[in-house]
Every structure is written in structure tokens, then in C-alpha cells.
Amino acid sequence: GLVDAHTHPVWAGDRVHEFAMKLAGASYMEIHQAGGGIHFTVEHTRKASEDELFTSFQQRLERMLRAGSTLVECKSGYGLNLETELKMLRVIERAKKSMDIGISSTYCGAHAVPKGKTATEATDDIINNHLPKLKELKLSGEIHVNNIDVFCEKGVFDLESTRRILQAGKDIGLQMNFHGDELHPMKSAELGAELGAQAISHLEEVTDEGIVAMARAKCAAVLLPTTAYMLRLKQPQARKMLEEGVIVALGSDFNPNAYCFSMPMVMHLACVNMKMSMNEALAAATINAAYALGKSDTHGSLEVGKQGDLLIINSSRWEHLIYQFGGHEALINYVIVKGKVIYENERCETVSSY
């Protein structure tokens, strides 16, 4: 089964209108500063009820499942206040309990600086109010969060704020798995390696020193080819990372900015745009993505003693999963989680094998 190591799937308020702005040349930060981007989605997510969010989240997870994802990392982060962040995490918890797909949940309250606050004030609020509440809910068994995430970026959370939030999350038992070095070189990779982060995502602007530090620290790089493609950013240096011995994983970065559910399409983009081989892309979307979530002992490969998550495809060669760009809808025949068929694709019965 494929593992999607980075998604933002709980939100209301899509940003289809911003796509035209991006195509006309507006940058991510220009849209963000004009009140669009994350802030637009935050406004809509705050207004949505828990049931509304759960219904759309469930539908998105089902689409991911049909595209072959059997384990998905799911972030909060469109609340930016304690009440809405908890609402999002409760929605993720409900899906964990009611759906067959595997979920690794991430608290991403430091996704942007809330309107009316400075980065320092937002950092203090997260450390003094959000994280103690998460610890309390964990102890009572209401919400179990796996990872902590921060958007370490110029104009968002600087290196020192990021360090403080990640350390506070680590202190309550969360794995550090954060956004770094996306739009500007921030030395996020060096920070993650120093703190013992499990994974860092994006890394389009990572330094050579950062790559070496991540390799030494066995900190996974979660590369997001959809984001570089959509925002026309320079591609992450997948080849250099692989040559230096970094554990390279892939994620769809599904969110209102990069609306892609399909890890087969992500693997295809990784091969074409980031110059990965098909074998490297498959490893990055299975065992390495499981490692990025701290789950490679149970997920990510077919081995005795691991969870029986697998796909059966309507083809004589597995490479068709990557080769057919957007072709997974008539290619993935069965999705199996824990040895149980949870999706059977009737389209495959009408199409002879590829």
C-alpha cells in the first residue's frame, strides 16, 4: 500500500479562485499577504461545524484510498486558534476510529501567524495554551496526536520560534515533522537534524550543509513534487539528497493550494521533475514515507510481522502505476488493509490487463 507522508485534508473553503491568480504570476506570499492562502481557508474552517468538516474529510480519504494510499499523514493547521485546531484534531480522531485507512495525525497550529498576533505571541500561545491542552486530552484518551509541525519560513515562524515550538512538542512526546526551507533557505534542515526531527518537508531551498546534516541524523526528507509544480518553484534536489544518503520520502501535500489525492501521480512527477528512478519513487512512497511517520516497523513493505496493506493492480508490471499519469482509476484493482479487501474497483473487470 502507498504511504502519503504529508497532507492537509481537513478544511472548508477551497481556493480555486486563487489558481487563476497564480497562473497570472502572483506568488504564494503575495496571495498570503493579500489575505488569501492559508488565511482564507482558516476563516472558512473556523465557521464550519465539526460534522461538515468530517464529511468532506471522509470523502477525501476515500479518494486517497482509491488511489492506493493505505496510510496517510493528516495535519490540522487551518484553525490557528485553540478551539478550531482541537475541532480539526477531533475530526481526524473520528476518522482514525471509523475508517479502515491508516492515519498519522499531526498538530500544525504553527501553520501561519494568526491575524492580530506577532510570531512571538503566536509561539507563546502554542507553548503555554495549545500544547498543555493536547497533553491533557492525550492523557484522558480523547485525542492521540502523533506529530508536531511548524511552518518555518521567512515572514511566518523564524528559526528560534520554530525551535521553541518543536522542543515543547517533543517534551510532551510528539515526533517532530515540520515544513522547512521551502521559499527561503532558513537552515531548517540543520535545526531538524540537531533536534532529532523524524522528518522535514519541502526543502526546495535546503543548503548543502543541511542535506549532509539530515543524512547523518537519519532525518527523512519529505519531498512534495505537486507543490513545486503548482507554485513553479525550483524542484527539491532529490538526486543530491539520495547521493548523500538522505532517506527520501514523498507526500501529495493535498491542500487547497495543491489539490492532488494521488500518490501514483506524485511518483510520476518525482520521476519526471525530480529525476528519481521508478524504484526510488516507489520506495519513497512506501517504506521511506512510513519511516518519515515513525511507522516503518509496521508499515511500508510486505514482510512477516508487518501490517498486510497492499494493492493489486490490473497490469503485468508494477511500473504502470507510475507510467500511467493519472491512470490509477482503471488500474488499481484491489486495496487491502490489514489483510482485508476494503476497495474493489469494478472498472478493472471491464478493462483487459495493461
Side-chain angles (χ1 to χ4, degrees):
L2 303 176
V3 179
D4 189 340
H6 183 122
T7 80
H8 301 259
V10 183
W11 46 267
D14 72 39
R15 306 212 292 266
V16 68
H17 60 287
E18 288 178 12
F19 190 47
M21 293 163 72
K22 286 189 205 101
L23 296 178
S27 76
Y28 178 88
M29 282 318 254
E30 281 166 357
I31 291 169
H32 185 74
Q33 281 152 4
I38 291 171
H39 291 304
F40 177 86
T41 305
V42 166
E43 208 177 299
H44 286 75
T45 306
R46 284 180 178 178
K47 288 175 188 162
S49 72
E50 198 170 310
D51 284 343
E52 284 168 340
L53 290 174
F54 180 71
T55 301
S56 59
F57 176 45
Q58 204 175 13
Q59 288 164 350
R60 289 165 191 160
L61 284 177
E62 281 165 2
R63 286 179 72 178
M64 289 176 183
L65 192 70
R66 294 198 296 272
S69 292
T70 53
L71 172 62
V72 179
E73 184 264 4
C74 299
K75 301 178 192 293
S76 70
Y78 291 116
L80 308 185
N81 59 25
L82 181 57
E83 180 195 348
T84 315
E85 289 295 313
L86 291 178
K87 178 170 70 173
M88 295 178 75
L89 291 168
R90 280 196 301 271
V91 164
I92 295 169
E93 195 70 30
R94 266 172 78 177
K96 272 189 186 180
K97 288 175 178 158
S98 64
M99 294 185 73
D100 292 305
I101 195 167
I103 292 174
S104 174
S105 61
T106 301
Y107 163 75
C108 187
H111 196 197
V113 177
K115 286 180 179 173
K117 276 200 167 93
T118 65
T120 306
E121 287 166 347
T123 300
D124 291 343
D125 184 35
I126 287 166
I127 292 168
N128 299 329
N129 300 313
H130 292 214
L131 292 174
K133 187 67 181 173
L134 282 189
K135 185 180 178 182
E136 180 193 312
L137 292 169
K138 183 182 174 183
L139 291 171
S140 69
E142 285 175 66
I143 294 176
H144 296 278
V145 178
N146 304 103
N147 317 287
I148 183 156
D149 191 350
V150 179
F151 189 11
C152 181
E153 185 52 71
K154 193 174 172 182
V156 192
F157 289 92
D158 65 13
L159 210 59
E160 196 42 47
S161 299
T162 301
R163 177 193 293 277
R164 289 180 58 210
I165 294 167
L166 290 175
Q167 189 60 54
K170 186 181 181 180
D171 292 346
I172 65 163
L174 300 177
Q175 288 182 137
M176 293 172 286
N177 185 335
F178 68 107
H179 291 61
D181 296 330
E182 179 186 356
L183 305 171
H184 299 91
M186 299 287 293
K187 294 201 181 316
S188 305
E190 291 89 329
L191 175 69
E194 178 200 327
L195 292 178
Q198 186 72 22
I200 305 170
S201 291
H202 283 293
L203 300 166
E204 288 86 353
E205 297 286 345
V206 69
T207 62
D208 292 351
E209 297 76 14
I211 290 174
V212 170
M214 286 180 71
R216 283 197 191 125
K218 294 189 165 42
C219 172
V222 180
L223 304 184
L224 307 168
T226 50
T227 315
Y229 166 74
M230 292 273 298
L231 295 177
R232 297 168 175 161
L233 304 175
K234 78 177 187 193
Q235 296 290 329
Q237 300 176 70
R239 285 260 52 87
K240 187 171 177 63
M241 291 178 193
L242 289 161
E243 281 152 20
E244 293 286 353
V246 175
I247 297 160
V248 172
L250 289 171
S252 68
D253 197 14
F254 171 77
N255 74 77
N257 172 56
Y259 206 104
C260 176
F261 295 107
S262 166
M263 284 305 288
M265 290 179 83
V266 169
M267 289 190 284
H268 179 101
L269 288 171
C271 292
V272 174
N273 289 342
M274 301 194 321
K275 301 181 170 60
M276 290 174 75
S277 72
M278 286 194 282
N279 287 4
E280 287 166 344
L282 184 68
T286 52
I287 189 69
N288 291 0
Y291 175 86
L293 303 178
K295 287 185 177 280
S296 53
D297 54 341
T298 50
H299 294 71
S301 61
L302 296 174
E303 295 179 62
V304 174
K306 284 197 177 185
Q307 189 166 304
D309 292 0
L310 57 142
L311 311 181
I312 296 174
I313 67 168
N314 183 26
S315 173
S316 57
R317 292 175 62 117
W318 72 266
E319 289 92 341
H320 272 272
L321 200 56
I322 297 176
Y323 163 65
Q324 292 186 25
F325 190 46
H328 62 267
E329 289 186 355
L331 187 62
I332 295 172
N333 205 341
Y334 297 96
V335 178
I336 295 164
V337 172
K338 295 183 184 170
K340 183 177 106 184
V341 176
I342 57 168
Y343 170 63
E344 182 177 352
N345 187 351
E346 287 165 7
R347 288 186 187 185
C348 290
E349 307 310 317
T350 60
V351 180
S352 62
S353 169
Y354 296 96

